[in-house]
Amino acid sequence: MTYPPGPPGPGYPPPPPQPYSMGPGQFPAPQSQPPKTSPALKWVLLGVVVLVALVVAAGAVFVLAKDRGATGASEVKSGDCLAEIPDSSRVLYVKTLGCDQPHKGEVFAVLTLPDGDFPGEAAVVKYTDKCAPALAQYAPDTIEDPEIQLFVLYPTADSWQRGDRTVTCIATSENPRTGKLG
């Protein structure tokens, strides 16, 4: 073996290129760096993604609620029957159906509170006291029926800001019933 090795022979790879082996006046091409994105742009993009996701989710909830026979809680009217009684104090939709089908509630009065500033929860709850006399007028025989209970939907400070002024009086029964009250 000779030192330094001779020219590459068969089976040897070619030597690597020598660094800076450019001619006089030539410079290596500058390396391009990926453009930097500002943190503000990242937050804006994240905000847009979140907003789109919320719109899609809200649309899906609306479509699913409408497909199941749901009616806006503030859109029901006297004589509407409800498949189930809401189990929450914040109700957006109720499932209405024909009173000839088994149901657990019947709307017998929809009372409208006066316009103006939100009167406070105590005043709204006091206004719900008008439901019992309204039931006596709607179906007098049900006042003494121990199976019939009252359930009331009323506006909150939040729903008041969206224009909700209705107190909805509902006669309920534990066991589903068919037909109208009275």
Side-chain angles (χ1 to χ4, degrees), residues 12-111:
Y12 286 101
Q18 297 297 315
Y20 304 104
S21 61
M22 295 181 201
Q26 292 181 336
F27 298 99
Q31 299 288 328
S32 65
Q33 294 182 353
K36 291 185 178 182
T37 55
S38 72
L41 180 61
K42 289 178 183 177
W43 284 108
V44 168
L45 291 175
L46 179 63
V48 168
V49 168
V50 168
L51 183 62
V52 168
L54 287 173
V55 168
V56 168
V61 167
F62 180 77
V63 167
L64 289 175
K66 284 298 182 186
D67 286 346
R68 295 185 178 171
T71 303
S74 62
E75 296 173 13
V76 294
K77 56 191 179 310
S78 182
D80 285 350
C81 289
L82 308 179
E84 295 290 329
I85 301 306
D87 59 359
S88 170
S89 61
R90 304 229 180 224
V91 179
L92 296 176
Y93 294 98
V94 292
K95 184 176 180 185
T96 58
L97 47 79
C99 293
D100 58 339
Q101 297 177 10
H103 58 275
K104 289 193 172 184
E106 182 175 336
V107 177
F108 62 87
V110 178
L111 311 171

Side-chain angles (χ1 to χ4, degrees), residues 86-151:
D87 59 359
S88 170
S89 61
R90 304 229 180 224
V91 179
L92 296 176
Y93 294 98
V94 292
K95 184 176 180 185
T96 58
L97 47 79
C99 293
D100 58 339
Q101 297 177 10
H103 58 275
K104 289 193 172 184
E106 182 175 336
V107 177
F108 62 87
V110 178
L111 311 171
T112 304
L113 288 154
D115 278 335
D117 292 336
F118 182 66
E121 187 172 342
V124 172
V125 170
K126 178 78 174 143
Y127 201 82
T128 66
D129 291 343
K130 295 182 178 192
C131 286
L135 179 58
Q137 189 175 7
Y138 181 82
D141 296 339
T142 60
I143 290 296
E144 301 301 322
D145 187 343
E147 299 252 338
I148 302 297
Q149 302 292 316
L150 290 180
F151 184 81

